[in-house]
Amino acid sequence: QVQLVESGGGLVQAGGSLRLTCAASGRTFSPYAMGWFRQAPGKEREFVAVISWSVGSIYYADSMKGRFTISRDNAKNTVYLQMDSLKPEDTAVYYCAYCAARRFWPPTGVTNYGTWGQGTQVTVSS
C-alpha cells in the first residue's frame, strides 16, 4: 500500500546544493528504515544513505560523508536528502526506498528494500 514519491531533483552546478524529498503515502507506513540510492546509466544501483525510523540511526556511503545529510520527519512520513558540495560524479537518478524489517544494520544492499520510488534526476554540471 505504501507509495514513495521523490522530488527536488534538477540541474545544479558543481559545488551547489539540492534537497531531495521522499514523501510516503498509505496507512501502512511503518518502516524499519528508509534509504536513498542512486543509479547512473549503465551502472548498478548504489547505496547513498539510510536512516532508521524509530531512533534515527544514520549511515552514509563513504563518498557521501560530509556532503550529504539524511533526515526524516516521522509525523509527515517523509525522508530528506540534503546534498551539498555536489560533484559531476553525483549525477544519477536518486531513489528512496522502504526497508520493512530489520535484518542487520546498516541495510546497504538493494535487496533489503521492498518498495521504491520512481526516482528523481540529479544532474551536476562542471
Side-chain angles (χ1 to χ4, degrees):
Q1 186 178 358
V2 174
Q3 183 180 21
L4 307 177
V5 179
E6 302 96 334
S7 62
L11 176 64
V12 65
Q13 294 180 344
S17 299
L18 285 173
R19 189 195 193 206
L20 306 184
T21 298
C22 175
S25 61
R27 288 182 287 180
T28 60
F29 187 79
S30 184
Y32 164 65
M34 293 290 294
W36 284 98
F37 290 76
R38 67 186 186 185
Q39 188 167 25
K43 295 188 176 181
E44 67 178 8
R45 194 160 295 187
E46 177 187 23
F47 170 77
V48 174
V50 62
I51 184 167
S52 70
W53 210 246
S54 59
V55 71
S57 299
I58 292 171
Y59 182 81
Y60 298 100
D62 286 343
S63 62
M64 281 57 130
K65 290 179 180 177
R67 301 190 300 122
F68 291 8
T69 303
I70 189 171
S71 61
R72 77 201 196 285
D73 187 331
N74 299 65
K76 296 181 178 179
N77 293 346
T78 301
V79 62
Y80 306 94
L81 185 68
Q82 177 67 41
M83 305 186 296
D84 300 317
S85 301
L86 283 164
K87 307 173 182 178
E89 307 92 271
D90 297 319
T91 296
V93 177
Y94 283 71
Y95 299 89
C96 65
Y98 180 109
C99 178
R102 177 181 181 178
R103 293 180 179 178
F104 51 83
W105 180 263
T108 59
V110 296
T111 57
N112 291 287
Y113 299 85
T115 302
W116 297 79
Q118 84 290 345
T120 185
Q121 177 70 48
V122 172
T123 303
V124 184
S125 62
S126 60

